[in-house]
C-alpha cells in the first residue's frame, strides 16, 4: 500500500505542466498551440521569452527530482524498498508525459527525466546532463541531444551501480523518451528539425 501511495503522489507531482503554468504567468500563448505543440522548455523558448523557458526547465526538472528525493528520503521508514523507488521514478515521468491535470497531453520528458536521474544520484544526473550539453552545443538540436543522453543514461547507471530495479526503470524511461521523440527522429532524418533558439512560425 505504501508503494502505491508513493507512486500516486509521484504521478500527481509529475502531472504539473510547468510549460503551461509558466506560459500563463508570463502572459504567453499555450505552448500546445504553436511550434512543436510540445509543452516543454524548448518549445516555450520558441515564444522568444527566455525567462518562461528557464522557469519551465527548472520546474519540470525539479518535480522529477522532488518525487524521487521524497521516496529516497522518507520511503524506507515506511517500508519502501528499491523496487518502490524505481516505481516512483517511472510514475513521476509518466505524470509528465500524460498529466491528469491537462487532459493527458504532456511533454516529452527530457527535463523531468533529468530531475529523476539527479534524484537517484547527482553524479548520474550530471553525467547525463553533460552528454546532453555536448551534443546540443555541437549540433544545436535539442531532440538529438535528448536522444543521445537517453541512450547513455542506463549505461552510466550500470557503470556506477550495476544491474537492479532502478536500472530497469531508467531503461523504461529512456525507451518512453525515445518513443515520444518519434516525430523528431523523422524530422532529423529529413533535415527538417528545428534548431535550438528558433522562433515559432
Amino acid at each position: 500500500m505504501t508503494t502505491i501511495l508513493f507512486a500516486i503522489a509521484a504521478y500527481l507531482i509529475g502531472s504539473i505542466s510547468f510549460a503551461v503554468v509558466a506560459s500563463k504567468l508570463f502572459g504567453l500563448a499555450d505552448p500546445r498551440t504553436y511550434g512543436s505543440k510540445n509543452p516543454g522548455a524548448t518549445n516555450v523558448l520558441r515564444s522568444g521569452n527566455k525567462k518562461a523557458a528557464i522557469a519551465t526547465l527548472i520546474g519540470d526538472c525539479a518535480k522529477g527530482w522532488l518525487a524521487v528525493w521524497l521516496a529516497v528520503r522518507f520511503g524506507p521508514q515506511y517500508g519502501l524498498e528499491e523496487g518502490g523507488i524505481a516505481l516512483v521514478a517511472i510514475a513521476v515521468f509518466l505524470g509528465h508525459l500524460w498529466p491528469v491535470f491537462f487532459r493527458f497531453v504532456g511533454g516529452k520528458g527530457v527535463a523531468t527525466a533529468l530531475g529523476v536521474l539527479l534524484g537517484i544520484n547527482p553524479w548520474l544526473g550530471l553525467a547525463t546532463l553533460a552528454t546532453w550539453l555536448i551534443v546540443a552545443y555541437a549540433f544545436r538540436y535539442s531532440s538529438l541531444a535528448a536522444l543521445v543522453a537517453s541512450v547513455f543514461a542506463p549505461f552510466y547507471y550500470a557503470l556506477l551501480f550495476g544491474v537492479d530495479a532502478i536500472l530497469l526503470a531508467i531503461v523504461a524511461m529512456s525507451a518512453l523518451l525515445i518513443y515520444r521523440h518519434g516525430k523528431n527522429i523523422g524530422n532529423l532524418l529529413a533535415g527538417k528539425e528545428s534548431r535550438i533558439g528558433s522562433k515559432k512560425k
Side-chain angles (χ1 to χ4, degrees):
M1 178 59 92
T2 299
T3 300
I4 294 174
L5 290 176
F6 267 92
I8 291 174
Y11 173 77
L12 294 176
I13 292 172
S15 289
I16 302 172
S17 178
F18 282 93
V20 177
V21 172
S23 294
K24 287 184 177 180
L25 290 175
F26 283 89
L28 305 173
D30 190 319
R32 295 169 294 181
T33 64
Y34 64 80
S36 66
K37 295 182 171 58
N38 173 61
T42 300
N43 200 39
V44 172
L45 184 61
R46 293 190 178 101
S47 70
N49 192 314
K50 293 182 180 179
K51 291 182 179 179
I54 292 173
T56 299
L57 180 65
I58 293 174
D60 283 345
C61 181
K63 69 184 182 185
W65 171 85
L66 177 63
V68 175
W69 181 83
L70 288 173
V72 172
R73 176 65 177 81
F74 299 105
Q77 60 186 296
Y78 295 103
L80 193 70
E81 299 179 349
E82 180 183 277
I85 294 172
L87 184 59
V88 165
I90 286 294
V92 68
F93 187 69
L94 291 176
H96 179 80
L97 299 187
W98 293 287
V100 67
F101 303 132
F102 296 92
R103 299 180 180 180
F104 303 101
V105 179
K108 295 173 182 175
V110 178
T112 302
L114 173 60
V116 168
L117 296 177
L118 287 169
I120 292 171
N121 181 271
W123 290 113
L124 172 65
L126 290 173
T128 307
L129 174 60
T131 302
W132 188 95
L133 289 171
I134 291 169
V135 177
Y137 180 79
F139 299 98
R140 306 296 295 174
Y141 289 116
S142 175
S143 57
L144 178 61
L147 290 166
V148 174
S150 68
V151 170
F152 274 86
F155 288 103
Y156 293 148
Y157 184 88
L159 286 173
L160 289 170
F161 307 107
V163 178
D164 56 20
I166 295 177
L167 174 61
L168 296 179
I170 294 174
V171 169
M173 193 167 61
S174 296
L176 283 169
L177 193 148
I178 292 171
Y179 167 74
R180 294 286 284 191
H181 280 77
K183 183 177 179 180
N184 301 90
I185 293 172
N187 287 339
L188 284 166
L189 293 174
K192 298 179 180 179
E193 181 73 347
S194 297
R195 293 180 181 271
I196 294 174
S198 62
K199 299 286 186 69
K200 66 178 180 180
K201 295 182 180 179

